[in-house]
Amino acid sequence: MRALARIVAEADGRGGTRLARLRGEPPLQLRHTPDGSATATVHLIGSAAGPLGGDDLRIEIEVGEGASLCVRSVAASIALPGRDGALSRTTVTATVAAGGELRWLPEQLVAAAGCRHQATSTVELAGGARLRWREELICGRHDEQPGDAVVSTIVDYGGAPLLRQSLTIGPGTPGWDGPAVLGGARATGSLLLVDAAAAPAPPAVLGATAVRMPLSGPATLVSATAPDAHVLRGYLDA
């Protein structure tokens, strides 16, 4: 299955944000869920199981100058194997103009047993743009080993590289659950905060398996591993 979802957010001239475009295709359905704030909130609703082996799902996001957009999902995404062992892909591309803000806060990606999944995110931020970008990966459903998954994130700020990170897990990657990678943890994730107006956050250990690290730009990265999704979210929310 191939599907494209597209969101374009613009300042409405009255201190708020309007959605100039909101378009989805099954299984990527989009719903505007206003909360009374100046930020436009959109929920991603999966109208079918997946991503399933062979699926190619794309999400495109554009945030204009002075606009504020928050994207969430109503449930976790479960990467499932296809009958022929084909690779599934989820690709997110986002651009945020100067003075714009994007909060990408979906629920977790679960790499189910037997899956072959690739998730790639590319974000281009203009100088003065703000970003809150959360990614969480769960290694298998309850009491099962995960399939193969690759999660990659590329973020540029003002035309310069800000973040490049990639994680590969699963039986096709020797040592993925060893001490050099996840150390046996079933959940891992990160939260990237970009805001040139915010005071720099110093490096810190936030828990037994969570750290906060300043980047070479107006950004801070929180990375964590945990035994389950609940503990992981607690680290990232803190």
Side-chain angles (χ1 to χ4, degrees), residues 157-185:
Y157 180 84
L162 180 66
L163 176 67
R164 302 287 190 272
Q165 71 175 12
S166 184
L167 173 66
T168 303
I169 69 159
T173 305
W176 70 271
D177 57 350
V181 188
L182 295 187

Side-chain angles (χ1 to χ4, degrees), residues 23-187:
R23 174 182 180 271
E25 298 174 340
L28 300 176
Q29 302 288 0
L30 302 173
R31 295 292 184 270
H32 181 204
T33 51
D35 59 6
S37 72
T39 298
T41 300
V42 173
H43 275 80
L44 178 64
I45 301 172
S47 58
L52 184 66
D55 286 356
D56 187 357
L57 310 180
R58 293 182 294 142
I59 302 172
E60 299 177 353
I61 300 170
E62 181 181 340
V63 181
E65 185 174 352
S68 178
L69 173 68
C70 179
V71 181
R72 298 181 179 272
S73 64
V74 299
S77 298
I78 303 178
L80 298 167
R83 290 185 177 181
D84 59 359
L87 181 72
S88 59
R89 292 183 176 87
T90 302
T91 304
V92 181
T93 58
T95 60
V96 186
E101 178 184 25
L102 172 61
R103 305 174 199 166
W104 174 259
L105 301 170
E107 295 304 306
Q108 302 87 356
L109 168 64
V110 181
C115 77
R116 295 182 59 234
H117 185 66
Q118 180 176 310
T120 304
S121 300
T122 303
V123 184
E124 295 184 7
L125 303 171
R130 300 182 303 279
L131 179 70
R132 185 180 184 92
W133 190 273
R134 185 179 70 204
E135 293 182 329
E136 297 169 302
L137 175 64
I138 310 302
C139 302
R141 292 168 292 189
H142 177 69
D143 201 27
E144 77 172 6
Q145 291 300 307
D148 292 305
V150 181
V151 180
S152 301
T153 307
I154 300 169
V155 181
D156 290 347
Y157 180 84
L162 180 66
L163 176 67
R164 302 287 190 272
Q165 71 175 12
S166 184
L167 173 66
T168 303
I169 69 159
T173 305
W176 70 271
D177 57 350
V181 188
L182 295 187
R186 301 285 296 177

